[in-house]
Amino acid sequence: MTDANAQILSLDLRVSYRQAYLVDDTDDAECPGMVDDHPDHPVGILRVEEGSAFLVTGTHTGTVRFDVAVAESEPAPDRDGHEDIVEISIESKSGSFTLHEWGGEAHEIPALAAGPGWYRLRYHAAGMDDGPDGVAEGLAPDRYLLQIWPAPESDPVVVKSASGTHQHWMTAG
């Protein structure tokens, strides 16, 4: 479920080591390595550090369905279509982000609604427990939706948690 006014990018995203990255389009930004979870409000599968976000997938290596929806205001979460939903704040100094595959291609996402400033990321995951530990042949069974909208900085939140994979990452540190 996405806001009718959202700009949406849908793609098949190549992941390795269960990783993808959202990176601010500044000259010094780069894909983060494993980032520590928030110490007081852990969300497990989404971690932010200095304008970059580390996104965890259920599939170890392969291609997953990934949608990015950039909205002007807070969209509704898709509670029925996803088992796990988490939120975290991120600051964009450039006013734009790129979605990166592990060690590979970068994908431009729709322009951020309010330019540089604070945004909220809501990361939805479906089928994380079905993602293979090895290499997925064809499109892997897990899929993801990342919603982005302008919002003041606030604490990370777990909106919904139902998969064993999410529970693992909540305690993995």
Side-chain angles (χ1 to χ4, degrees):
M1 175 184 299
T2 57
D3 183 314
N5 296 321
Q7 296 180 350
I8 300 170
L9 169 69
S10 296
L11 65 136
D12 295 338
L13 187 72
R14 182 89 180 137
V15 297
S16 295
Y17 301 101
R18 304 183 198 287
Q19 299 174 27
Y21 317 93
L22 185 70
V23 180
D24 192 39
D25 289 339
T26 58
D27 290 339
D28 60 347
E30 55 187 59
C31 294
M34 173 55 88
V35 176
D36 289 336
D37 209 345
H38 192 282
D40 300 321
H41 305 281
V43 295
I45 58 175
L46 176 61
R47 297 156 185 224
V48 169
E49 183 176 84
E50 296 180 21
S52 297
F54 180 87
L55 301 113
V56 177
T57 64
T59 293
H60 182 280
T61 302
T63 303
V64 298
R65 187 71 189 153
F66 205 102
D67 296 319
V68 180
V70 179
E72 294 178 10
S73 60
E74 181 177 358
D78 184 1
R79 294 177 185 270
D80 294 332
H82 297 84
E83 291 95 14
D84 304 302
I85 305 170
V86 300
E87 294 182 8
I88 199 164
S89 295
I90 188 169
E91 184 178 19
S92 173
K93 294 190 186 290
S94 70
S96 61
F97 286 113
T98 307
L99 184 64
H100 291 254
E101 300 177 355
W102 187 89
E105 190 173 348
H107 305 274
E108 289 186 34
I109 67 166
L112 298 177
W118 282 99
Y119 286 82
R120 193 70 171 171
L121 303 179
R122 182 181 292 135
Y123 188 44
H124 298 69
M128 285 190 86
D129 289 345
D130 301 327
D133 285 335
V135 177
E137 298 297 328
L139 193 59
D142 46 329
R143 58 185 171 77
Y144 302 88
L145 166 62
L146 179 64
Q147 296 172 318
I148 305 171
W149 70 95
E153 182 180 15
S154 59
D155 288 336
V157 173
V158 174
V159 176
K160 183 178 179 184
S161 178
S163 74
T165 301
H166 182 244
Q167 290 302 312
H168 164 77
W169 283 99
M170 288 290 294
T171 59

